[in-house]
Amino acid sequence: EPEVTQTPSHQVTQMGQEVILRCVPISNHLYFYWYRQILGQKVEFLVSFYNNEISEKSEIFDDQFSVERPDGSNFTLKIRSTKLEDSAMYFCASSNQASGSGDTQYFGPGTRLTVL
Amino acid sequence: AQSVTQLDSQVPVFEEAPVELRCNYSSSVSVYLFWYVQYPNQGLQLLLKYLSGSTLVKGINGFEAEFNKSQTSFHLRKPSVHISDTAEYFCAVTEGGSQGNLIFGKGTKLSVKP
């Protein structure tokens, strides 16, 4: 069964450093998402991406964040200058159609980011 | 704005007992509702979803949920749980016709004891 994969599973970085989290969505999916979950808190939406551009983003997704689909398979989240409060589990998800049509989002296993 | 409340952060239950995990949502527009499960060290997996039609929705692993519009609830139930159901369960909502970003509740940790 096709699945969303994410690398690395765990990333440790120093405050102020740039990190890139990588995701490979399901191959025929067209909509891509990033979410994060700070320990003990809700899973929060960050950004959605369709047709090579951001379709929606939350207040969390400020200028420090960017997303890219550099080729036909990868979907990346870059944090330009990490802060302590960026420590969280980051989930990538993909769907064939927009979930606002009822389509299911398929989630990856997550990348745990620890900022020291 | 939409929001989701999962009233119980932890639910301990004995094996073969029934369980209900509660979810309430608030929204001023039509919504689609989802339940996801997260097993340890794994990603979120869809259990079931409500789009329209019958208010009782059946999902994988013997789970079902009932959509109640008047009470703005979407509680998850299973008549007899197994040890393997131990996991964290997330209720989520998305606005119909939107790009589909999911709004999640805080999750409920279900712990099934022998």
Side-chain angles (χ1 to χ4, degrees):
Chain A
E1 184 176 325
E3 59 182 17
V4 177
T5 59
Q6 291 184 244
T7 54
S9 57
H10 192 188
Q11 172 93 46
V12 181
T13 189
Q14 296 291 325
M15 191 169 55
Q17 294 296 304
E18 175 185 285
V19 293
I20 297 176
L21 309 183
R22 291 184 166 79
C23 168
V24 179
I26 294 173
S27 62
N28 63 339
H29 284 184
L30 302 174
Y31 293 81
F32 313 110
Y33 309 83
W34 282 101
Y35 294 82
R36 78 171 187 190
Q37 185 181 27
I38 295 171
L39 191 63
Q41 298 187 25
K42 295 185 181 188
V43 176
E44 302 171 290
F45 167 75
L46 292 177
V47 65
S48 59
F49 191 86
Y50 169 70
N51 201 25
N52 281 320
E53 60 183 26
I54 290 173
S55 23
E56 198 164 350
K57 59 183 180 179
S58 71
E59 292 176 353
I60 303 167
F61 195 88
D62 61 22
D63 292 344
Q64 294 297 318
F65 291 88
S66 62
V67 288
E68 193 178 29
R69 189 154 162 81
D71 53 42
S73 58
N74 290 283
F75 180 50
T76 62
L77 174 69
K78 182 192 290 187
I79 308 175
R80 189 167 52 183
S81 177
T82 50
K83 308 183 189 74
L84 294 176
E85 54 264 37
D86 293 329
S87 294
M89 180 73 89
Y90 288 80
F91 293 106
C92 172
S94 69
S95 62
N96 193 23
Q97 300 179 42
S99 289
S101 67
D103 202 17
T104 299
Q105 289 183 28
Y106 293 84
F107 283 77
T111 292
R112 179 164 297 286
L113 176 65
T114 302
V115 182
L116 303 176
Chain B
Q2 299 147 39
S3 67
V4 176
T5 302
Q6 292 182 247
L7 292 168
D8 307 302
S9 59
Q10 297 191 49
V11 173
V13 65
F14 286 106
E15 194 174 17
E16 298 183 8
V19 71
E20 178 179 84
L21 307 183
R22 295 180 291 170
C23 172
N24 287 89
Y25 69 94
S26 67
S27 177
S28 58
V29 298
S30 65
V31 294
Y32 297 136
L33 294 152
F34 303 79
W35 274 99
Y36 280 85
V37 60
Q38 186 179 29
Y39 298 104
N41 301 314
Q42 295 186 30
L44 299 165
Q45 179 184 1
L46 182 73
L47 270 179
L48 48 78
K49 62 183 178 183
Y50 173 77
L51 306 182
S52 65
S54 172
T55 57
L56 184 64
V57 181
K58 293 191 184 297
I60 62 171
N61 301 340
F63 284 92
E64 62 182 32
E66 184 150 21
F67 171 62
N68 187 319
K69 189 174 182 179
S70 62
Q71 296 187 5
T72 60
S73 69
F74 190 53
H75 300 332
L76 181 70
R77 301 185 184 102
K78 185 169 182 179
S80 175
V81 293
H82 302 291
I83 299 285
S84 59
D85 293 323
T86 295
E88 190 155 19
Y89 293 79
F90 294 92
C91 181
V93 63
T94 190
E95 182 181 316
S98 70
Q99 285 294 317
N101 51 299
L102 293 170
I103 308 298
F104 283 88
K106 286 192 76 171
T108 297
K109 287 183 181 172
L110 176 64
S111 176
V112 182
K113 304 176 189 305

